[in-house]
Amino acid sequence: MAKKGDGRKVVAENRRARYNFAIEEVIEAGLMLKGSEVKSLRSGKANVAESYAAVEGGELFLINSYIPELENANRYDNHEPRRHRKLLLNRREIDRLAIAVMRDGMTMVPLKIYFNERGMAKLELGLARGKKLHDKRESEKERDWQRQRSRLMRERG
């Protein structure tokens, strides 16, 4: 979640990503969007839960993210809800991510879409490694223990 003082308005968040993947690095990327997509994002109905990022032709794209069409937009100016969206990163960063995916078997998972303090749409992208079932159980146990510990500390004062 975004802190109150950092000026970010979170539009869409992939909450299952931290459960299914071990996030090793977080990268902020810009999004190349159409005007109707930006307006639709501002309404806050986007979804990045089943999407991923991939390198195609030396460029990085966000694939299978859902940004709904605007109801009151012109049908010629509107966009496809699940089109591939280009991510804006430096060439070195794209190459480094591509190498990590190819060599180390990692995945690029979108964590959240938000508007920064300047009003620009940004994507928080995680370089992740998939968790096995026992890792998921372990993280769930740890989360339950933290919750229980905080309850005990509250009760004791």
Side-chain angles (χ1 to χ4, degrees):
M1 289 296 207
K3 296 176 200 137
K4 290 185 179 182
D6 69 351
R8 296 187 339 176
K9 180 189 173 219
V10 176
V11 176
E13 188 171 12
N14 188 355
R15 298 183 70 190
R16 294 286 296 176
R18 295 194 188 273
Y19 177 75
N20 291 331
F21 298 96
I23 310 293
E24 296 188 6
E25 185 179 352
V26 177
I27 300 136
E28 182 184 65
L31 282 163
M32 189 177 280
L33 300 172
K34 292 184 173 182
S36 60
E37 288 175 320
V38 174
K39 289 179 182 179
S40 186
L41 275 178
R42 290 202 189 278
S43 69
K45 294 184 175 119
N47 188 0
V48 291
E50 297 174 359
S51 60
Y52 60 96
V55 178
E56 295 177 357
E59 295 177 335
L60 193 60
F61 287 94
L62 180 62
I63 300 169
N64 202 28
S65 63
Y66 179 74
I67 299 176
E69 291 180 332
L70 277 175
E71 297 92 30
N72 56 357
N74 187 340
R75 67 178 169 172
Y76 299 112
D77 294 336
N78 228 336
H79 62 276
E80 288 182 43
R82 292 203 181 268
R83 73 178 187 93
H84 292 200
R85 292 168 179 91
K86 188 174 176 181
L87 298 177
L88 305 172
L89 285 172
N90 278 335
R91 169 64 46 210
R92 269 188 236 120
E93 289 177 314
I94 293 173
D95 292 341
R96 186 174 57 81
L97 291 173
I99 289 170
V101 168
M102 300 265 297
R103 188 179 306 153
D104 301 335
M106 300 180 93
T107 307
M108 291 180 280
V109 181
L111 301 174
K112 60 177 86 165
I113 294 178
Y114 61 91
F115 287 101
N116 66 1
E117 58 276 348
R118 292 178 51 205
M120 307 290 275
K122 299 288 183 176
L123 175 78
E124 197 171 274
L125 190 67
L127 191 59
R129 190 177 308 277
K131 283 186 182 178
K132 303 278 191 253
L133 184 61
H134 60 85
D135 293 331
K136 292 178 187 179
R137 285 188 193 133
E138 186 65 35
S139 62
E140 198 167 318
K141 252 194 277 187
E142 179 67 28
R143 189 173 55 242
D144 288 344
W145 165 242
Q146 293 295 332
R147 192 177 299 131
Q148 197 173 27
R149 193 176 79 185
S150 68
R151 281 189 199 131
L152 289 170
M153 296 300 280
R154 251 195 324 251
E155 288 173 3
R156 289 185 179 177

